[in-house]
Amino acid sequence: MFYNLGNSYYKINKVGPSIYNYEKALLLNPLNEDAQNNLVFAKRLSLDRIEELPKSVLQKFNENYLSKLNYMH
């Protein structure tokens, strides 16, 4: 049941729920090779590409000026 749900979610490009259901299927039957293989494919699709956002004017000001101030008493 969970294996089939995982396949259904995978086919409609819902990677998170497909991974969840493949893992549930493996909890019930750890020897299910199809679920193991499909889990590998689904996890490959879930890799996020995180790009750094451009810095705001205040962040640039902080880096260039404020962080270089010396706070000695």
Side-chain angles (χ1 to χ4, degrees):
M1 178 174 116
F2 290 110
Y3 172 72
N4 290 333
L5 274 172
N7 286 339
S8 299
Y9 280 118
Y10 185 83
K11 287 182 181 182
I12 61 171
N13 217 15
K14 301 280 186 179
V15 178
S18 69
I19 290 172
Y20 174 78
N21 283 291
Y22 289 140
E23 288 176 346
K24 293 284 273 185
L26 288 171
L27 285 175
L28 294 175
N29 181 7
L31 302 177
N32 185 340
E33 291 182 17
D34 291 331
Q36 291 172 354
N37 292 333
N38 289 358
L39 180 60
V40 170
F41 285 113
K43 283 187 174 183
R44 285 184 189 156
L45 287 177
S46 71
L47 296 177
D48 293 334
R49 293 184 190 152
I50 300 173
E51 298 177 11
E52 188 173 334
L53 294 174
K55 296 186 179 177
S56 70
V57 174
L58 292 175
Q59 288 172 320
K60 290 178 186 176
F61 181 74
N62 182 42
E63 283 181 358
N64 293 330
Y65 301 107
L66 294 179
S67 62
K68 295 177 182 167
L69 291 177
N70 189 354
Y71 294 105
M72 296 186 80
H73 294 288

